[in-house]
Structures are given as C-alpha cells and as structure tokens.
Amino acid sequence: MRIARAIKVPLSGLACAATLTLGVTSFPAPASAAVTQAQAVPASVAAGRTTAPACIERSVSKKRRTVWISNRCGRTMKVKVVVKHGPDSYCRTLSDSETIYYPWHFGSYDRTVNC
C-alpha cells in the first residue's frame, strides 16, 4: 500500500506557496497477522454459532433480567444465552423437554445460539 499527499503551505513573508509532499512507503503485513489454516475457525464450529431453532423456547423477563430456555426439539441440543453488554452463559446441554434458567445482573438479552 502506498499513500502520497501534496499539501500547499504558504511560507511566511513570501507571496508564493510551496508544495510539501508527505509519502508513506509500502509496509509488509506482519507475519503474526497471517491466519494459517490451523488457526482458522472450522466450518462446523462457525455453523454451530447460529441462532437456536424455534423448538428452543425462550421466556425472557427484561425487568428481572432472566430467561427460561426449554428444549422442545425431540433431541438433545446444546445452547448458549448471549447477553448484550453482559455475561453470556456457558454452553449448556439440554435433553428433550428439559428447561434451564439463566439470570444476569447487567446488560440485556440478545439471543440464544447453538454451540
């Protein structure tokens, strides 16, 4: 990447203007910035972070800052409660028909995701 800019600056005591050129040479990206295939997030993990399906029922109380999560999917599901500007829950495994409760002290409910 190369950036150059010309700036016209009046010189004190002279009626003419001088041109000052500031240039930035190309810098290679640091080796630590390169993402290797081993560091990349596997597709299965990235796909697992999607919003939980509708069969995961949510009952949110914004005033009390609590959420009840119920699994009605017919199979075991792993879910996590995401709280905006607050502490997220850890990944919870819910068997079919199981219900969990998650309270938090600050922030607001954002969503429930698969994990």
Side-chain angles (χ1 to χ4, degrees):
M1 177 167 93
R2 184 172 174 90
I3 300 171
R5 172 178 267 171
I7 302 172
K8 294 206 181 242
V9 180
L11 298 175
S12 61
L14 299 176
C16 66
T19 301
L20 174 65
T21 303
L22 303 173
V24 177
T25 61
S26 300
F27 293 103
S32 62
V35 176
T36 63
Q37 189 162 1
Q39 294 171 328
V41 176
S44 61
V45 173
R49 294 185 182 145
T50 60
T51 302
C55 60
I56 300 293
E57 296 176 357
R58 302 123 169 120
S59 178
V60 180
S61 173
K62 292 181 180 182
K63 184 177 180 180
R64 293 188 175 133
R65 294 185 177 137
T66 59
V67 63
W68 290 88
I69 305 291
S70 299
N71 181 3
R72 304 287 183 241
C73 297
R75 62 188 169 97
T76 299
M77 299 289 289
K78 290 185 175 185
V79 296
K80 175 180 178 175
V81 176
V82 178
V83 177
K84 191 181 294 186
H85 306 296
D88 297 345
S89 74
Y90 57 90
C91 187
R92 302 285 301 262
T93 302
L94 294 174
S95 57
D96 185 37
S97 301
E98 185 177 1
T99 300
I100 62 167
Y101 167 80
Y102 182 69
W104 62 93
H105 298 291
F106 55 91
S108 60
Y109 175 83
D110 187 19
R111 65 188 187 275
T112 301
V113 296
N114 293 324
C115 55

